[in-house]
Amino acid sequence: MNYRILGKTGLKVSEIGFGGEWLERHPFDESVELMRYAEEQGINVLDCWMPHPKSRDVIGTAIRGHRDKWIIQGHVGATWQNNQYVRTRDTEHCRIAFEDLLQRLHTDYIDLGMIHYVDAKDDWDRCMNSDYYGYVEKLKKEGTIRHVGLSTHNPRIAKEAIESGIVSMIMFSINPAFDMRPATEDIHTMYDNFTPDMAGIDEERGELYRLCEERGIGITVMKGYFGGRLFDVKTSPFGVAFSPVQCLHYALTRPGVATVLCGYDTKEQIDAAVAYETAAEEEKDYASILAKAPLHAYSGACVYCGHCKPCPMEIDIAMVNKFYDLAVQQPEVPESVKAHYEALEKHAGDCIGCKGCETRCPFGVGIAERMKKTEALFGL
């Protein structure tokens, strides 16, 4: 298993994570065994948004005695009322649910305390201007929450949270289909009559990923498989099927992303996700699938897929393009981006203009010309 640093939190998380929402579907012991199997595969980060008592008890049992091996996302605002999930900003209900989370997980702290599921602007304002955020602050000050995060599907809300300075990381929905769609305050509308737009990655989503990379805001990914829709030609909005490894590679090549939190029903599904770590480049290749999809086409946009490799000068072309895109979004090149670019072993100035990479790019990116622009921008 490979591990990445989750932005400014400094936490080292497995690239493949565990989304726990399906645990309540199965017999208790079976779910405990599933979690322990995931830990054996090197998975160390878990999202527990679910207020269902059974799911929380499963997690608590599975990690008991080795809590320190897990990095846990726990949510403030996901409550259990009258035997059903209720999202709320009511401080008393939030307190009861969060204390229940700690008790059932047999822990006195949560690594990532999430402002739970904010997609609408009025909901964000309500959170920030009420006792709800005061409660989150209190938990952070006490050390009960080590880092404050936000879960959202809306890039506008994510950007506002980052610029407020309140959050150290975000949980965001990323997959090839969602990335084509504009921001919405109602995630459910993204599932209705879903067809991707033809213009490539939505500008606001691309801007969010660049902002996260620049500010050191780590991203944990939800909905990386689009609920499994991308695995079947009949349900994929592109008219072609992707593998779990291709979906994972897509998400993990977005700037700022540290881990993808997958939902699992079986050990075989865990194996299919963890197989990413030993997959060949050809198995990770989502770009060719996108380029050939009958219902979608990119043109001229770098998606950092690495399809351009190998370079005779050993330039990491995808990373050079990523830092170029990060830099040109700002009036001046951010020092953090410049430092990361300079740390690369080879730079755009090493390009000999052979254009071999361009023959392999599925999207017709003018890479040689971008190398010239990048050299001029960074000075090497």
Side-chain angles (χ1 to χ4, degrees):
M1 178 65 67
N2 291 316
Y3 298 84
R4 300 185 180 193
I5 300 300
L6 183 63
K8 64 174 66 175
T9 71
L11 296 171
K12 196 173 184 180
V13 297
S14 53
E15 289 183 329
I16 310 302
F18 197 112
E21 66 177 306
W22 293 350
L23 291 172
E24 66 198 56
R25 297 182 184 182
H26 306 288
F28 190 92
D29 290 345
E30 186 178 303
S31 291
V32 169
E33 185 179 353
L34 191 68
M35 273 204 64
R36 289 177 174 167
Y37 181 75
E39 183 181 319
E40 291 171 3
Q41 309 315 305
I43 293 174
N44 77 341
V45 57
L46 163 77
D47 179 67
C48 180
W49 72 265
M50 316 80 61
H52 197 291
K54 179 182 177 181
S55 295
R56 295 177 170 196
D57 285 340
V58 165
I59 295 169
T61 301
I63 69 173
R64 196 165 193 174
H66 39 121
R67 163 70 180 89
D68 60 326
K69 294 185 177 180
W70 283 94
I71 294 166
I72 297 176
Q73 284 189 174
H75 294 236
V76 181
T79 69
W80 192 247
Q81 300 179 42
N82 300 317
N83 293 316
Q84 65 179 3
Y85 158 71
V86 177
R87 176 179 53 163
T88 183
R89 309 305 172 197
D90 179 86
T91 306
E92 184 59 15
H93 283 302
C94 289
R95 182 191 64 77
I96 292 170
F98 198 78
E99 290 179 358
D100 176 80
L101 176 66
L102 295 171
Q103 180 180 355
R104 292 182 187 276
L105 267 56
H106 308 290
T107 186
D108 58 1
Y109 74 97
I110 296 297
D111 303 273
L112 306 168
M114 309 300 288
I115 297 171
H116 177 62
Y117 187 180
V118 183
D119 281 355
K121 180 64 168 66
D122 61 352
D123 190 22
W124 171 255
D125 292 340
R126 187 181 307 115
C127 289
M128 294 300 101
N129 298 296
S130 69
D131 291 340
Y132 170 86
Y133 182 63
Y135 178 59
V136 174
E137 279 190 307
K138 175 178 178 291
L139 293 172
K140 175 65 166 59
K141 186 175 181 180
E142 293 172 347
T144 307
I145 287 174
R146 300 292 168 82
H147 306 277
V148 175
L150 167 75
S151 66
T152 182
H153 309 89
N154 187 339
R156 294 175 187 169
I157 298 298
K159 182 179 178 182
E160 185 163 347
I162 291 167
E163 292 180 336
S164 74
I166 289 170
V167 301
S168 299
M169 50 77 62
I170 61 170
M171 182 186 187
F172 192 67
S173 50
I174 301 177
N175 61 58
F178 275 20
D179 267 0
M180 309 305 144
R181 301 307 299 269
T184 176
E185 293 194 347
D186 183 2
I187 182 62
H188 300 293
T189 63
M190 296 186 73
Y191 290 88
D192 299 333
N193 302 314
F194 193 104
T195 55
D197 296 328
M198 300 293 287
I201 295 177
D202 174 70
E203 184 176 343
E204 287 184 294
R205 294 177 187 275
E207 181 182 347
L208 171 62
Y209 305 149
R210 291 189 289 268
L211 182 65
C212 287
E213 182 83 16
E214 177 190 337
R215 301 281 183 89
I217 302 296
I219 302 174
T220 62
V221 174
M222 58 178 159
K223 297 181 173 62
Y225 293 162
F226 193 13
R229 290 168 174 82
L230 291 170
F231 299 159
D232 190 328
V233 171
K234 296 178 181 178
T235 56
S236 169
F238 300 105
V240 292
F242 294 77
S243 70
V245 166
Q246 288 165 339
C247 291
L248 290 167
H249 195 50
Y250 180 87
L252 287 166
T253 50
R254 299 310 94 197
V257 168
T259 184
V260 183
L261 300 159
C262 308
Y264 308 108
D265 277 313
T266 65
K267 292 179 180 178
E268 288 74 21
Q269 290 175 350
I270 293 175
D271 290 339
V274 173
Y276 174 80
E277 300 297 351
T278 55
E281 291 301 316
E282 294 77 11
E283 296 175 278
K284 295 179 179 179
D285 179 19
Y286 60 81
S288 294
I289 304 296
L290 279 175
K292 296 174 183 176
L295 301 181
H296 166 70
Y298 275 102
S299 180
C302 179
V303 297
Y304 322 126
C305 65
H307 216 274
C308 46
K309 297 186 292 187
C311 169
M313 301 306 293
E314 299 183 347
I315 300 170
D316 188 339
I317 298 169
M319 288 302 295
V320 168
N321 277 335
K322 186 179 291 188
F323 291 134
Y324 174 78
D325 287 339
L326 287 167
V328 296
Q329 298 301 313
Q330 308 297 329
E332 296 183 4
V333 178
E335 286 301 318
S336 60
V337 175
K338 184 178 180 181
H340 283 119
Y341 176 79
E342 291 175 346
L344 294 174
E345 291 186 10
K346 297 294 182 70
H347 304 93
D350 294 309
C351 175
I352 59 175
C354 69
K355 298 188 179 182
C357 51
E358 294 186 7
T359 67
R360 293 184 289 273
C361 178
F363 307 116
V365 176
I367 297 172
E369 184 61 28
R370 282 174 66 91
M371 291 296 111
K372 291 179 182 178
K373 292 179 178 178
T374 303
E375 180 183 7
L377 182 66
F378 286 103
L380 71 158

